[in-house]
Amino acid sequence: MKQNLKVIGEHTNHIFKQNTQITQLGKSGQIHEAVKLFSEMTRKNTVTYNSMISALNKNGKFNDARHLFDNMPRRNLVSWNTMIAGYLHSDRIDEAYRLFVKMPKRDRFSWTLMISYFTRKGELEKARELFDLFPHKRDVAFWNVMIRGYGEKGRIVEARRLFDEMPLRVVVSWNLMLSCYTRNGEMRLGREFFEGMALRDVVSWNLMVDGFIEVGDLDSAWEYFEKTPYPNVVSWVTMLCGLARSGKILEARRLFDQMQNKNVVSWNAMISAYVKDYQIEEAARLFSDMANRDSFSWTTMIDGYVHVGRLDKARELLNQMPYKDIAAQTAMLSGYIKNKRMDEACQVFNEIAARDIVCWNTMIVGYSQMGRMDKALDLFKEMKDKDLVTWNTMIIGYAQIGEMEEAVKIFNGMKIKNVVSWNSLITGFLQNGLSMDALTSFKLMVHEGITPDHSTFACSLSACANLAALQVGKQMHNKVLKSGHLNDLFVGNALITMYAKCGRILCAQLIFDDLDEVDVISWNSLITGYALNGYGKQAVQLFEQMVSKGRAGMLSEAFEVVRGLKIRANAGIWGALLAACKTRGNLKLGKIAAEQLSEFEPRKTSNFVLLANMQAEAGSWDEVENTRLSMKYTEAEKQPGCSWIEVRHQLHCFQSNMPMQPETAEVYSNLKTLTSQISNLDCVSKSSLLDNL
DNA sequence: TATGCGTAGT
């Protein structure tokens, strides 16, 4: 009898050990080893099955997990919960919920699992529904999970309402409420709440420090950090990261050196600070000094090498990494893809045991951005669980290589579409010169009840511009006004272009004037608009206005405008640029402007003088000499302004200070009449425009 | 409460 008990005890002990091993193997991504062990086990208990299900779930093998779940001899509560967790992890909410409903008994864990899943996904209404349905007394964890959910969605008011309703609050509840404020940049309210907190611990202080860092108020962060009664390692790391993020890497290092109890995270944070500052050698030094590295340390270094373009070094590290986790592998993968080294990317991709959906998508995006839709399609077909990103990427990929039929096929194959799917289709039509189809899609989209976003409007307005479809464009403008996207730069710029291309340059000007901020594209659109509508003079004036604005860097942006200008830049534009370069002392751009200008006005002395002066101010005396020489060489001299016109096959030349000719008086008189007519026209269209708005 | 990676549309 004793002997038998001993044997049973040993068996139990053995099974227990093997079960634990399965769990461990599953966690470290060694799923094949786990399966092997499982199939070799002669005695299994319910925990064995549960461990195996969990291991399969953790490695993305949800169907195998379900199969095992359906065929296991006896299921307990943990089996159900494990399977539900797997479904939730793979976003199969419906199946998870079906199991949740079907399970014979639910414990607190099952409920919290479902509720916290919904709060994490930001689907708070569903979470709230379950929360309200919970049949027993809700413990404090339920409330906390809801508050966290509201906080993460920025719904502070609802979080606060729930917080105020709570029958019992522990310090975690107080901190969660505080984090709603600090995580959403509401530091004024946060501070107020913090002052009134009934329960406070070091976490509360850390949250305040982190919150201030997040809004860029480093002084207040430092103040709270110094005031923290018993700072822990998190306090130090938070402050260290704050300093690093504001580029104060020396101060961060000083803090790091002062730390008494450094842990892995402190080291990782410091390494990450160096990596973000492109100081890869210093990061490597710290990395090699570390006693205990974790997967964060490895990933940070691998990513660091990727970002300085040393892919081979990154790969070397990945090979050395003891337990490769998905983050490190993904860093390597995206490094290869960004450098278009697809063969090596493929290799890494194949090495990843627990490939998640993003890994697949990353590969597909890589191929599609290279125009390799054949390869993208292979992966797309191979993929079991596709999400919206997968489908949308395929649409975009086909559109970019001009295969709109394929793009439409993919689009039509989608069961669920979101606004990005529609935008991708509309953009595709637009890019392939099918503006009419773009507008039709817009109508369909609205008809199907999808709310257009700023991107939809920007694209569809471009389509209107291409078609010079003023009426549709106006209707869309109206929709933009109602949608609240008017102040979006992309939409604003598209509106400017639309009105300009439809010949309503004054409307374009009004849109431009109303924008809160403008960028190069806005200027470009407006200037091009004036030029297209025959207002050359205004275009040049506007351009001068643009280069004379205060902002540093505007000068190079102005050059970008000229380069991107749909019309060929003329002497006026280059002259304005040259003058602006002189004012700002930008010799480099000045030379380019002068060079261009010499093509239009090879003999205009003032251009040469301006350039020579700039060179002199910069102390480049050799260049001054060269400019003077080339001025002589081209015999630059003051040339009178001159203009030609062809009338009935005869060329007429007008020159300023030209002696009176018989027609001259008549010409001037006609010109005066025309000018006044044009300015009257301007007034008319402006006032009728105002009436319309 | 702190550290690492990655996917779609202008």
Side-chain angles (χ1 to χ4, degrees):
Chain A
M1 184 66 183
K2 254 188 187 172
Q3 190 65 25
N4 281 346
L5 277 178
K6 200 183 161 205
V7 170
I8 292 172
E10 275 173 5
H11 278 316
T12 317
N13 198 22
H14 190 53
I15 294 180
F16 180 86
K17 273 187 190 161
Q18 288 181 314
N19 292 346
T20 314
Q21 223 176 327
I22 289 178
T23 310
Q24 290 304 321
L25 288 168
K27 271 188 195 165
S28 60
Q30 296 162 275
I31 188 62
H32 297 296
E33 286 77 358
V35 172
K36 191 161 169 267
L37 178 61
F38 178 81
S39 58
E40 280 168 5
M41 283 172 74
T42 43
R43 287 160 188 277
K44 300 180 177 89
N45 57 20
T46 307
V47 179
T48 318
Y49 283 94
N50 291 347
S51 308
M52 196 61 232
I53 291 172
S54 166
L56 287 166
N57 277 338
K58 284 206 170 67
N59 289 276
K61 307 204 173 288
F62 306 107
N63 292 335
D64 295 338
R66 178 60 194 255
H67 188 253
L68 200 63
F69 175 83
D70 285 337
N71 292 294
M72 64 195 286
R74 273 181 308 278
R75 288 184 279 266
N76 62 13
L77 244 170
V78 179
S79 325
W80 288 87
N81 286 342
T82 308
M83 200 57 231
I84 290 177
Y87 278 139
L88 290 177
H89 190 71
S90 62
D91 258 353
R92 300 194 202 175
I93 308 170
D94 294 340
E95 280 162 285
Y97 193 70
R98 260 200 292 279
L99 279 189
F100 178 78
V101 174
K102 206 172 140 189
M103 63 196 291
K105 215 177 118 192
R106 285 165 284 269
D107 61 358
R108 278 175 192 280
F109 188 86
S110 334
W111 283 88
T112 329
L113 201 61
M114 291 297 300
I115 293 177
S116 64
Y117 177 77
F118 285 126
T119 55
R120 273 208 314 276
K121 294 279 287 181
E123 300 190 27
L124 295 170
E125 271 57 45
K126 290 195 182 123
R128 186 58 192 257
E129 214 174 288
L130 284 178
F131 176 85
D132 291 334
L133 268 173
F134 185 65
H136 309 288
K137 186 168 176 293
R138 295 179 198 101
D139 64 23
V140 72
F142 274 76
W143 294 88
N144 289 347
V145 117
M146 282 305 298
I147 290 177
R148 178 192 307 233
Y150 281 124
E152 278 169 3
K153 273 273 155 179
R155 291 160 66 167
I156 305 176
V157 179
E158 283 148 299
R160 183 59 188 264
R161 197 176 303 142
L162 219 57
F163 177 81
D164 289 336
E165 281 173 24
M166 279 177 90
L168 177 80
R169 295 176 201 95
V170 290
V171 67
V172 175
S173 327
W174 286 95
N175 284 338
L176 276 172
M177 193 56 231
L178 176 64
S179 77
C180 292
Y181 295 115
T182 60
R183 290 277 155 95
N184 289 294
E186 293 284 354
M187 287 316 286
R188 207 181 51 79
L189 295 169
R191 186 181 240 149
E192 210 173 279
F193 186 81
F194 179 84
E195 296 304 332
M197 274 169 82
L199 297 164
R200 232 190 244 171
D201 63 5
V202 65
V203 176
S204 332
W205 287 90
N206 293 348
L207 282 171
M208 290 301 285
V209 174
D210 196 44
F212 281 122
I213 286 170
E214 209 55 50
V215 296
D217 184 354
L218 214 59
D219 291 338
S220 302
W222 187 259
E223 181 196 324
Y224 274 74
F225 171 67
E226 286 205 305
K227 276 203 288 194
T228 309
Y230 298 100
N232 61 8
V233 67
V234 179
S235 328
W236 285 79
V237 170
T238 306
M239 198 58 232
L240 188 153
C241 289
L243 290 170
R245 240 192 291 167
S246 347
K248 298 183 188 295
I249 191 114
L250 287 173
E251 284 90 336
R253 180 57 186 257
R254 203 174 305 142
L255 206 67
F256 176 75
D257 288 335
Q258 281 171 13
M259 281 179 79
Q260 294 299 315
N261 300 308
K262 295 188 189 76
N263 64 4
V264 193
V265 182
S266 334
W267 285 83
N268 292 344
M270 197 62 232
I271 290 179
S272 165
Y274 281 123
V275 159
K276 292 214 169 76
D277 202 42
Y278 297 98
Q279 297 193 43
I280 192 73
E281 297 306 335
E282 194 54 38
R285 236 190 310 279
L286 281 185
F287 181 75
S288 70
D289 284 347
M290 275 178 91
N292 301 305
R293 302 178 190 123
D294 66 4
S295 53
F296 278 75
S297 337
W298 288 90
T299 308
T300 309
M301 281 311 296
I302 290 171
D303 186 52
Y305 279 119
V306 163
H307 275 106
V308 294
R310 290 168 66 178
L311 293 184
D312 297 332
K313 186 77 190 164
R315 181 73 218 219
E316 201 182 307
L317 274 191
L318 182 65
N319 290 343
Q320 286 169 15
M321 196 171 166
Y323 293 103
K324 304 172 202 350
D325 77 347
I326 194 165
Q329 289 170 311
T330 310
M332 194 69 243
L333 183 71
S334 75
Y336 279 134
I337 289 178
K338 288 211 173 91
N339 287 278
K340 306 216 181 297
R341 285 161 67 165
M342 290 310 284
D343 289 341
E344 284 144 307
C346 259
Q347 251 169 27
V348 175
F349 180 73
N350 289 328
E351 284 166 24
I352 303 177
R355 267 178 235 151
D356 60 9
I357 214 165
V358 181
C359 280
W360 285 87
N361 287 343
T362 308
M363 284 296 287
I364 294 182
V365 170
Y367 278 126
S368 101
Q369 282 174 353
M370 291 175 70
R372 293 298 306 268
M373 287 312 289
D374 50 334
K375 291 275 189 190
L377 186 64
D378 286 343
L379 286 175
F380 180 78
K381 281 181 181 160
E382 206 185 315
M383 224 173 143
K384 288 210 178 68
D385 300 299
K386 305 175 181 74
D387 65 2
L388 278 166
V389 177
T390 325
W391 289 87
N392 294 342
T393 304
M394 292 299 287
I395 297 177
I396 296 152
Y398 278 123
Q400 273 168 354
I401 58 167
E403 295 190 12
M404 276 317 286
E405 280 183 19
E406 292 301 317
V408 170
K409 235 184 253 174
I410 298 275
F411 181 83
N412 287 335
M414 292 175 80
K415 284 197 190 100
I416 302 166
K417 302 172 181 105
N418 66 359
V419 64
V420 179
S421 324
W422 285 95
N423 291 349
S424 307
L425 189 74
I426 293 173
T427 313
F429 282 132
L430 188 69
Q431 283 167 348
N432 287 288
L434 301 164
S435 299
M436 205 59 216
D437 292 295
L439 287 187
T440 313
S441 307
F442 176 85
K443 271 186 202 156
L444 266 174
M445 170 183 182
V446 175
H447 188 252
E448 291 200 7
I450 309 279
T451 312
D453 66 4
H454 58 116
S455 184
T456 322
F457 283 122
C459 288
S460 309
L461 281 165
S462 300
C464 294
N466 289 346
L467 297 166
L470 182 61
Q471 289 314 314
V472 185
K474 274 186 179 173
Q475 286 169 17
M476 213 165 281
H477 186 177
N478 209 19
K479 285 196 168 76
V480 169
L481 285 171
K482 285 180 193 156
S483 72
H485 290 297
L486 190 63
N487 249 321
D488 182 271
L489 247 179
F490 282 104
V491 176
N493 293 344
L495 273 170
I496 294 173
T497 308
M498 187 275 290
Y499 277 121
K501 284 203 182 160
C502 292
R504 296 290 192 272
I505 191 63
L506 286 167
C507 294
Q509 176 76 58
L510 283 182
I511 301 285
F512 181 91
D513 293 341
D514 277 349
L515 282 179
D516 280 349
E517 60 167 329
V518 291
D519 66 356
V520 210
I521 313 272
S522 331
W523 284 96
N524 192 14
S525 312
L526 193 62
I527 293 172
T528 311
Y530 272 107
L532 279 179
N533 285 283
Y535 299 97
K537 201 174 157 194
Q538 282 91 330
V540 175
Q541 271 173 1
L542 204 63
F543 189 80
E544 284 167 349
Q545 205 180 316
M546 175 188 171
V547 288
S548 70
K549 288 272 174 216
R551 205 147 63 78
M554 201 61 186
L555 204 52
S556 39
E557 285 182 6
F559 268 80
E560 288 306 311
V561 168
V562 176
R563 289 206 183 95
L565 219 51
K566 300 278 164 31
I567 49 157
R568 193 155 175 261
N570 59 15
I573 285 179
W574 289 114
L577 264 183
L578 181 61
C581 291
K582 165 79 169 69
T583 319
R584 314 240 164 275
N586 192 328
L587 184 56
K588 198 177 144 207
L589 294 180
K591 272 194 255 180
I592 300 175
E595 202 175 290
Q596 294 288 337
L597 201 51
S598 67
E599 281 188 23
F600 293 97
E601 305 171 325
R603 288 157 189 272
K604 195 167 172 188
T605 326
S606 60
N607 296 336
F608 287 95
V609 174
L610 212 57
L611 180 64
N613 284 347
M614 283 175 73
Q615 289 164 334
E617 275 168 30
S620 316
W621 298 107
D622 290 348
E623 287 186 313
V624 173
E625 198 50 42
N626 276 337
T627 306
R628 290 215 171 116
L629 276 175
S630 57
M631 185 157 73
K632 267 191 190 155
Y633 187 71
T634 51
E635 294 169 20
E637 52 179 299
K638 271 207 150 162
Q639 286 282 317
C642 173
S643 168
W644 293 271
I645 189 170
E646 201 188 73
V647 181
R648 291 194 192 107
H649 304 295
Q650 201 185 342
L651 203 63
H652 297 262
C653 177
F654 299 88
Q655 207 170 299
S656 56
N657 303 322
M658 200 168 69
M660 283 295 266
Q661 285 185 356
E663 303 98 329
T664 309
E666 203 183 329
V667 167
Y668 272 104
S669 146
N670 278 336
L671 199 61
K672 220 173 184 173
T673 319
L674 274 173
T675 313
S676 105
Q677 280 176 358
I678 288 173
S679 62
N680 279 340
L681 271 177
D682 269 11
C683 290
V684 168
S685 51
K686 192 158 191 164
S687 63
S688 65
L689 163 76
L690 288 171
D691 289 341
N692 278 340
L693 288 177

